[in-house]
Every structure is written in structure tokens, then in C-alpha cells.
Amino acid sequence: MSNKFILELDPVAVEQLVDKLSMDDKIRLVRKLENETWARRLDEVVFSIRKRFKRARMSDKEVLRICEETRQKFYNERIKGRN
């Protein structure tokens, strides 16, 4: 004969239980959640980037201009550091 319990918890109750865990147990739980949710989180980031890209399209010429400005900035800082 086995005893079975069904326990329903809302997110607030789960958070309260997590607060009572040791730091090592919390870290283990975080890693488990990260492993289970990484694909969805990555999809959300990619979706956000694509959405931003569609709103603010840039020409190749503009991308090259920004790259050149950035290269020049790093070059100037490197030269300044040598003096």
C-alpha cells in the first residue's frame, strides 16, 4: 500500500520554499532551471534582435561607416596609450 499526496502550489508558495533552501540547493535549482529553459530564452533573444533589425534597417554603407569609426576610435586609444 502506498500513500500518495497531491500538493498544489502557486508561484508565491514555491518562492517561499526556495527562500528556505541552502545556497548550494538554490544554485543547483538555478542550474536545473537554466538547462530546462535555455532554448526558449535564446529564441526570445533572437526574436528581439530580429524585431529591432526590421524596425531600424541599415544600409551596408552605414554599417561600414560605423565599423570604420569604431576602428579609428580603438586605434586612437591604442596610440594614446603608447605615449
Side-chain angles (χ1 to χ4, degrees):
M1 177 167 117
S2 69
N3 295 325
K4 293 186 180 182
F5 294 94
I6 297 176
L7 183 61
E8 292 186 26
L9 299 172
D10 64 0
V12 174
V14 172
E15 286 179 17
Q16 291 170 345
L17 289 172
V18 169
D19 286 341
K20 295 177 183 178
L21 293 174
S22 69
M23 188 56 66
D24 288 339
D25 288 337
K26 287 178 183 179
I27 291 169
R28 188 172 46 80
L29 180 60
V30 165
R31 288 186 178 143
K32 179 177 175 57
L33 293 171
E34 285 175 342
N35 286 337
E36 290 181 7
T37 61
W38 72 268
R40 181 169 176 186
R41 289 181 289 125
L42 179 61
D43 286 344
E44 289 173 359
V45 169
V46 169
F47 176 78
S48 174
I49 291 169
R50 287 181 177 160
K51 189 172 157 185
R52 251 186 271 150
F53 182 75
K54 285 181 182 177
R55 276 197 317 248
R57 290 202 178 254
M58 292 172 54
S59 68
D60 289 344
K61 195 173 186 178
E62 182 68 10
V63 171
L64 288 173
R65 184 189 63 76
I66 292 170
C67 289
E68 288 302 320
E69 286 177 3
T70 305
R71 283 189 193 111
Q72 190 64 46
K73 176 183 166 189
F74 284 122
Y75 175 78
N76 292 342
E77 288 175 3
R78 196 176 320 130
I79 295 300
K80 200 184 319 178
R82 292 181 184 170
N83 295 334

